[in-house]
Amino acid sequence: MNDLVRQHTALSDSDLEWLHLLVSEWQLLSDLSFADLVLWVPTLDGTRYVSVAQMRPNTGPTSYQDDMVGHLVPRGRRPMLDTALDEGRIVREGDPEWREEVPVRVESIPVRRDGRVLGVIARNTNLLTVRTPSRLELTYLQSASDLAQMIAAGSFPFPGQQVDMDASPRAGDGLIRLDADGVVQYASPNALSAYHRLGLAADLVGHHLGRATAELAPARGPVDEALVKLASGWAPREFEVEGDDGVIQLRAIPLKPKGTHIGSLVLLRDVTELRRRERELITKDATIREIHHRVKNNLQTVAALLRLQARRMDSVQGREALNEAVRRVGSIAIVHETLSQTLDERVEFDEIADRVLAMVAEISPGKVAGRRSGRFGILDAEVATPLSMVLTEVLQNALEHAFAPGEQGTVEVGAVRGGSSTEPRLRVTVQDDGRGLPEGFDPQRAGNLGLQIVRTLVEGEMSGTFDMLPAPGRGTQVVLDIPVRAEKKH
């Protein structure tokens, strides 16, 4: 819609924002009308109309099989659009149109903002299945008529009340029509069922909805007064009411078709099961985070015990072996610490890589500088845990074998996301500027424990590849290529 409005019309950004607000609300008008809606806006030169948005009803058959967005029609071809735009009134005159052997009733509703008509909504009703309307359908149609008059008067949608249609109740979920005093004139079967779940034993019709709702909710003192006012429909609000056996979500829409408050629409739905599942997920997430926190604590305890044992050993080799084990355990603890602070089993690995780099650099403080380039991004826990260990082993190997005692140098960790959208991959390089590989060295057959761990984790657990080769210029380069899950776009 943004592109069409800016390309073809003279509307300002604030006008466009009003149209966005209208489009976020007009599913309700479409459902109550049992009709398709198409928003037409006059072009910059005033000779044509461009359709910038379209909505089909969930409550009835569509009258448009094709998408109308982007269509241009000259002024004069659809006289009802011209009349609604020029005179600023709802136009219902004229006989039904026939489209592909289907009779369609066409109406035009001007869209007004600050006294100006920005465009026209064409409301198109498929008449093929018309029958004697029920009480529910009559209430829907009357409510749709009231909303249409409010749109034409510029009093609907409500400024500052952006609605999330995925989360808000819809007409089919449950609908209650109130009079100007907040007394129920009509309640749909779904709405009545939702109130019965809250504990209502009688019918709603004839009762003051605000007081009836407050009686069903647990007593909360002054809050009850606010609940009575909200459920009476005096202001456009969304709220929830939780009783002993259920939770319902309500949305109040004041009706002022001619500037005077004549009543309200209250849309509602039973969200008891949804809220129960949400509470279960919150409990599950908290439990998982607590497990990661305890695992981290246990690993740190193990590392402390190994460190204590290393200090008591006389053998230099034994002490070094235990210190290596401390770093391996520490790298896993870092991942669990990060997982204990997230809501899912995915972590931002850049922070982990930096901490592993700092931890391993403690082997040669002040002698070898470590740095990171590129971005690892978000990784699943099943990739992050083995990758942290692999990174620890490779960095430790570089710091121990690439440089002579006391020699200064640099170790750089690089990360690049690549592959395709269906098979994303992560390429990790660890490069030093040290002495390089011994002649005849084969990384796939080298027998030291660190490289055995790397090969096992990369090829076995992560289904990736591992190579170790001379770096361009001087030193050694380790290359890891592993499959990863695509990052979520925000």
Side-chain angles (χ1 to χ4, degrees):
M1 186 165 71
N2 288 352
D3 293 340
L4 289 170
V5 168
R6 288 168 180 154
Q7 180 181 354
H8 294 285
T9 78
L11 296 183
S12 64
D13 288 343
S14 57
D15 292 334
L16 178 57
E17 188 63 31
W18 181 262
L19 296 185
H20 274 292
L21 191 61
L22 172 66
V23 168
S24 74
E25 293 271 23
W26 71 344
Q27 178 73 66
L28 174 62
L29 177 62
S30 178
D31 290 346
L32 293 175
S33 304
F34 308 97
D36 290 78
L37 307 178
V38 180
L39 178 56
W40 297 94
V41 180
T43 57
L44 186 62
D45 58 9
T47 62
R48 296 180 296 175
Y49 298 96
V50 58
S51 58
V52 299
Q54 179 178 358
M55 179 57 67
R56 292 184 172 90
N58 293 317
T59 52
T62 183
S63 56
Y64 282 114
Q65 297 301 322
D66 299 325
D67 191 353
M68 294 297 296
V69 175
H71 283 217
L72 290 160
V73 297
R75 184 178 171 88
R77 179 176 295 181
R78 300 189 179 184
M80 295 176 71
L81 292 181
D82 300 339
T83 304
L85 183 70
D86 296 340
E87 299 181 14
R89 65 178 179 89
I90 298 175
V91 181
R92 296 191 177 95
E93 300 89 357
D95 298 325
E97 298 180 1
W98 286 83
R99 300 176 187 163
E100 299 179 358
E101 300 183 354
V102 175
V104 177
R105 181 174 65 240
V106 180
E107 303 167 82
S108 295
I109 305 167
V111 177
R112 192 183 304 274
R113 173 180 180 264
D114 293 339
R116 297 179 298 112
V117 177
L118 307 182
V120 179
I121 295 175
R123 182 163 55 177
N124 304 273
T125 307
N126 187 325
L127 300 177
L128 196 60
T129 58
V130 169
R131 53 185 172 77
T132 303
S134 64
R135 177 76 187 280
L136 171 68
E137 291 166 331
L138 288 172
T139 303
Y140 272 30
L141 293 171
Q142 179 58 54
S143 301
S145 176
D146 293 335
L147 287 178
Q149 291 183 56
M150 291 171 66
I151 291 173
S155 58
F156 187 83
F158 304 110
Q161 292 288 322
Q162 187 78 31
V163 175
D164 181 359
M165 291 307 299
D166 292 330
S168 292
R170 300 193 178 192
D173 296 327
L175 180 142
I176 296 174
R177 174 89 185 210
L178 307 179
D179 65 13
D181 296 322
V183 176
V184 178
Q185 293 179 310
Y186 173 79
S188 72
N190 285 346
L192 197 56
S193 296
Y195 265 83
H196 283 165
R197 183 152 191 180
L198 278 184
L200 181 72
D203 194 359
L204 273 173
V205 175
H207 290 79
H208 188 278
L209 184 65
R211 288 193 286 271
T213 304
E215 289 172 1
L216 295 171
R220 290 174 292 180
V223 179
D224 291 344
E225 297 179 11
L227 183 59
V228 170
K229 193 169 184 64
L230 286 173
S232 299
W234 282 93
R237 293 287 187 272
E238 284 195 29
F239 56 100
E240 287 188 5
V241 177
E242 183 169 357
D244 294 332
D245 299 314
V247 184
I248 58 173
Q249 180 185 18
L250 300 97
R251 181 189 175 203
I253 303 172
L255 297 176
K256 302 177 181 179
K258 296 181 180 178
T260 303
H261 181 78
I262 64 166
S264 305
L265 274 183
V266 177
L267 307 179
L268 68 150
R269 64 174 173 176
D270 186 344
V271 292
T272 306
E273 293 304 313
L274 178 62
R275 296 296 176 259
R276 181 184 62 80
R277 289 196 297 269
E278 286 178 352
R279 284 193 289 267
E280 288 179 352
L281 287 174
I282 290 171
T283 303
K284 178 182 176 183
D285 287 340
T287 302
I288 291 173
R289 289 198 299 273
E290 178 61 22
I291 289 172
H292 284 302
H293 182 70
R294 293 189 182 189
V295 169
K296 182 263 296 184
N297 288 344
N298 290 339
L299 288 172
Q300 288 180 336
T301 301
V302 171
L305 291 172
L306 290 173
R307 193 177 295 110
L308 183 63
Q309 185 66 44
R311 290 172 183 166
R312 293 172 176 268
M313 291 198 70
D314 296 328
S315 169
V316 175
Q317 287 183 332
R319 190 159 53 246
E320 289 179 353
L322 287 177
N323 285 331
E324 287 182 4
V326 168
R327 286 187 285 273
R328 287 166 184 150
V329 173
S331 66
I332 302 174
I334 291 172
V335 177
H336 282 283
E337 182 180 5
T338 306
L339 287 169
S340 71
Q341 300 168 5
T342 63
L343 294 176
D344 56 14
E345 292 291 287
R346 309 193 78 192
V347 296
E348 178 64 63
F349 197 80
D350 293 323
E351 179 185 351
I352 293 174
D354 291 340
R355 292 179 64 180
V356 168
L357 192 59
M359 179 181 67
V360 177
E362 294 175 0
I363 299 172
S364 56
K367 301 297 182 182
V368 179
R371 63 170 179 260
R372 174 177 60 86
S373 63
R375 181 173 176 270
F376 286 86
I378 298 173
L379 300 178
D380 290 338
E382 57 262 32
V383 174
T385 301
L387 182 57
S388 68
M389 283 197 67
V390 167
L391 205 54
T392 300
E393 296 298 333
V394 172
L395 286 168
Q396 187 168 290
N397 188 72
L399 293 172
E400 286 185 356
H401 302 293
F403 306 98
E407 182 182 2
Q408 293 187 340
T410 302
V411 177
E412 180 173 351
V413 177
V416 178
R417 302 288 288 237
S420 63
S421 58
T422 55
E423 295 183 359
R425 301 187 72 84
L426 174 65
R427 180 181 173 87
V428 181
T429 59
V430 179
Q431 183 171 320
D432 64 67
D433 55 1
R435 67 184 70 173
L437 294 172
E439 188 174 345
F441 179 82
D442 184 356
Q444 302 302 326
R445 296 187 179 183
N448 75 64
L449 178 61
L451 289 181
Q452 288 180 20
I453 292 174
V454 170
R455 286 198 299 269
T456 301
L457 293 176
V458 173
E459 298 172 0
E461 280 201 41
M462 294 187 284
S463 303
T465 61
F466 158 73
D467 200 5
M468 200 171 184
L469 59 156
R474 184 172 185 265
T476 304
Q477 185 180 69
V478 175
V479 180
L480 312 174
D481 189 283
I482 55 177
V484 294
R485 231 170 84 186
E487 291 190 60
K488 295 179 182 177
K489 302 296 183 184
H490 297 284

